[in-house]
Amino acid sequence: MAQLSRWWLLLVLLFPLPLMAEPALPQPESGFKMLEDLPVANQIPLLENRFRIDDGIESITMVLFRRPGTASIVLVRPDGSKIFYNTAKQHNIRWHDAASYDLIEIADPMPGPWQALGRILPESKILVLTDVELDVDPLPKPLMIGENFKLTARLKDGEKIVNARDFKDILTLQVIFISTNNKDYENFGRGIVEVATFRDDGRGYDASARDGIFTGEIKLNFGAGEWIPKFTVKTPLYTREIEQAPIVIEPAPVDLVVTAAAAEQSHHLVTLKPTTDLVDTTSLLFQAQVNYPDGTMDVFSITEPGQAMQFAMENRGHGSYILNVGVFGQMTDGREFVLNLPEERFLVTLQAREAPALASLPEDKDRAPEAELSATQVPASFPWLWVISINLVILIGGAVAIWFVLTGKPLSMLLFWRKDKAKAAASAQAVSASPESKKAQKNNDSDDILDLSLPDD
C-alpha cells in the first residue's frame, strides 16, 4: 500500500466577489457542507485566494469550486508563471474541467505561495487528505451460484472515511471477477466478468449519498468456478484498486426436476432436490413463479421447514413453461443466504389422441366397397395422340399467323392454286397486248379477206 500513501490537497476557494449590475447567484444547497464536518486539523484558512504548499509534498489534488458556467480557474505559481486549463499538459499537470469546479492533480508541486484566479465561491479553505485508500468488506464464504448479497466498501483517509458529498457524479465503485483459468473448475477461460457498479448516491442499498461509503448488491449469476474479486474506485484523475484472495463459487445447492403430466387432466410435478452438504436442508424455503404458455402467471411457495419440497403445477396445454425459483436458507455454519436458481424452461408437446374404434361390418358389406374401389382405381387409357396432334396444329397455326403479321403479306397468299391460274391469265393477256402479236393478227386478218375482183381477160 506504499503507492497509495500520497498527500492529497483538496482546495476549496470560496469568497464573495462584488458583481456590477449583475444579480447575485443563489448559494447552492450543497454549499460544500463537507467542510463543516471535517476536523479542524485538516482545514487551513486562506487569505485572498492564496494558499501555501510546503516543501516535500510529492503530489497534490485541488478541487476549486466556482460559479456554474464560468471559465476555468487560472493558477499562479510562486515564480509568477501562470497555468491555464489548455496548457496543463505542458507542465505535466492533469486537469479535469467540469461545469462548476476544476479538479487538478500536480506532481512535485513548486513549494511556496500559490494563487487561484476565477469566479470562485465564498468561504475558502484548504483540505489536506493523506493515505487515501479503498477498504472493502471480505466476501462471505463459501459462495454459491445464483447467490445475492450486500457488499460495502469505503474510501478512507487513514482511519477516517473521506466525506465526498460533492463527488456524487464522479465517484463509482466497479466490481469485477477475474477467472483464475484453473482447469479443475468450470470457469476455465472465462476471462473477466463485470459484476456490478456502485455509486455513492444514496439509492438502492446505499444508505447515504456522498458519504464515501459504497453499498450495493452482488449477484453471482455468471457461473461457478474459481475467481479473483477486484474492486476499483475511479475519479477523473486517480484510481484505487483492491484485489482479494481467490474464491470458489460452488454450484447451486438445489436441482429442479420437472415431471410432465401423463394426461390432460393431470398436473405437472416440480421437485426440489438438495445436491450439496454446504446448506442446512431443514432450513430451506422456496418461492417459485411460473409463466404458463397462455401468458398467465402463478406463484407457489414452500414456507415451512421440513415440508415436502415439491409442488403441483397446473397443466394448461402444450407450449413452453418458464419456472423461476428463489431459495432462502442457512449454510451449515449458520450464515443466512438468498439465491435464485437458474431459470428452468420445459416444453409440453401436443398429446396424441386415440382414434375411435369402428363397428364390425358384415363380410358382404366389407367386400362391396373393396370391389367398387378396385373398379374405380382402374385408370382409363389417355388419348395422348389427340393431345399431341391438337398441340401441333395450334403451334403451326400460331407460327403462320405470326409470319403474316411480321411480313405484312395478305391472307390470299394461302390460296396457292388460284395464284397459278391468275399468273397464266396475266401472261396470256400480256402476250396479246404486245406489238408483234398485234401485227401478226393484222396480217392474218388481211390474209383472210377474199379477192373478189375479175381478171382483165
Side-chain angles (χ1 to χ4, degrees):
M1 303 298 294
Q3 65 275 18
L4 298 180
S5 299
R6 305 172 64 184
W7 288 86
W8 302 93
L9 179 63
L10 282 81
L11 173 63
V12 182
L13 297 178
L14 309 165
F15 73 97
L17 289 178
L19 298 178
M20 299 178 60
E22 181 177 324
L25 295 176
Q27 179 73 12
E29 293 183 0
S30 62
F32 316 127
K33 299 177 182 177
M34 56 180 288
L35 300 176
E36 301 175 1
D37 301 333
L38 293 172
V40 178
N42 284 349
Q43 299 182 22
I44 300 177
L46 297 177
L47 179 62
E48 297 180 356
N49 308 345
R50 298 178 182 274
F51 59 97
R52 183 177 183 85
I53 298 178
D54 296 332
D55 190 13
I57 295 179
E58 298 177 358
S59 175
I60 65 169
T61 298
M62 298 184 293
V63 183
L64 298 99
F65 298 97
R66 47 184 167 78
R67 292 179 179 270
T70 58
S72 300
I73 299 296
V74 179
L75 292 178
V76 181
R77 298 197 299 183
D79 61 356
S81 60
K82 299 178 180 62
I83 303 175
F84 300 85
Y85 166 71
N86 55 359
T87 62
K89 291 184 179 180
Q90 302 175 8
H91 300 277
N92 196 23
I93 295 176
R94 301 172 64 190
W95 194 315
H96 175 72
D97 178 25
S100 59
Y101 65 89
D102 292 90
L103 187 57
I104 307 168
E105 184 182 37
I106 306 175
D108 297 325
M110 180 183 298
W114 288 65
Q115 187 174 7
L117 306 178
R119 302 290 298 276
I120 52 182
L121 296 175
E123 298 180 3
S124 61
K125 294 180 181 179
I126 296 179
L127 266 177
V128 179
L129 301 181
T130 60
D131 297 335
V132 177
E133 61 182 21
L134 179 63
D135 178 41
V136 182
D137 289 347
L139 297 178
K141 294 179 182 180
L143 292 172
M144 297 176 292
I145 187 67
E147 190 170 353
N148 304 334
F149 58 91
K150 185 174 69 173
L151 180 70
T152 301
R154 306 162 191 83
L155 191 62
K156 300 179 68 175
D157 170 25
E159 296 298 326
K160 299 178 182 179
I161 298 176
V162 175
N163 193 327
R165 296 181 182 177
D166 299 293
F167 295 88
K168 65 177 180 179
D169 295 330
I170 58 176
L171 289 186
T172 59
L173 173 66
Q174 185 181 23
V175 183
I176 63 175
F177 277 32
I178 306 172
S179 173
T180 58
N181 285 331
N182 191 333
K183 295 182 179 180
D184 297 334
Y185 294 95
E186 299 178 7
N187 65 331
F188 174 73
R190 284 291 303 274
I192 299 175
V193 176
E194 295 185 4
V195 179
T197 299
F198 302 161
R199 298 180 66 88
D200 186 15
D201 55 4
R203 299 180 181 179
Y205 283 88
D206 192 59
S208 180
R210 297 166 292 162
D211 60 353
I213 301 176
F214 305 87
T215 306
E217 184 181 21
I218 299 294
K219 296 182 179 181
L220 303 180
N221 55 2
F222 47 84
E226 189 177 46
W227 301 88
I228 299 175
K230 185 175 181 179
F231 308 91
T232 305
V233 170
K234 293 183 178 180
T235 73
L237 294 183
Y238 62 87
T239 301
R240 290 290 180 270
E241 295 182 350
I242 286 182
E243 282 191 5
Q244 294 185 351
I247 60 171
V248 176
I249 301 178
E250 303 289 345
V254 178
D255 275 349
L256 287 177
V257 179
V258 181
T259 304
E264 292 184 358
Q265 295 78 14
S266 304
H267 286 70
H268 305 296
L269 185 63
V270 179
T271 305
L272 303 158
K273 295 183 178 181
T275 60
T276 179
D277 56 358
L278 296 176
V279 301
D280 181 5
T281 56
T282 62
S283 67
L284 295 179
L285 307 177
F286 301 92
Q287 182 83 9
Q289 175 180 313
V290 181
N291 294 322
Y292 292 102
D294 58 1
T296 58
M297 185 267 292
D298 201 356
V299 177
F300 303 89
S301 61
I302 301 174
T303 58
E304 295 182 6
Q307 183 180 353
M309 292 187 292
Q310 63 181 11
F311 58 89
M313 186 171 51
E314 292 186 15
N315 186 356
R316 299 191 180 180
H318 63 281
S320 179
Y321 292 71
I322 304 175
L323 182 62
N324 293 281
V325 179
V327 183
F328 308 82
Q330 288 184 356
M331 308 294 289
T332 53
D333 59 1
R335 181 176 71 87
E336 300 280 349
F337 70 87
V338 177
L339 62 83
N340 294 318
L341 296 180
E343 185 177 80
E344 181 73 16
R345 293 172 177 260
F346 65 98
L347 181 66
V348 176
T349 57
L350 183 63
Q351 298 178 354
R353 299 181 180 180
E354 297 182 357
L358 297 176
S360 60
L361 299 175
E363 294 182 358
D364 55 348
K365 292 184 179 180
D366 292 342
R367 293 176 182 177
E370 294 178 359
E372 294 178 359
L373 180 61
S374 61
T376 56
Q377 287 179 351
V378 177
S381 59
F382 193 81
W384 291 106
L385 182 61
W386 281 101
V387 173
I388 295 173
S389 301
I390 292 173
N391 287 333
L392 288 175
V393 171
I394 293 173
L395 291 174
I396 294 172
V400 172
I402 293 172
W403 181 80
F404 275 108
V405 172
L406 295 177
T407 58
K409 300 291 185 179
L411 294 176
S412 59
M413 292 289 294
L414 295 175
L415 304 177
F416 54 87
W417 60 89
R418 293 186 178 181
K419 182 177 180 182
D420 294 341
K421 292 182 180 181
K423 286 182 178 180
S427 60
Q429 185 177 359
V431 171
S432 61
S434 62
E436 290 79 2
S437 63
K438 290 182 180 181
K439 185 175 181 180
Q441 183 178 3
K442 184 177 181 180
N443 293 333
N444 293 335
D445 293 342
S446 62
D447 291 342
D448 292 339
I449 298 175
L450 295 178
D451 188 8
L452 301 179
S453 61
L454 296 177
D456 294 335
D457 295 340

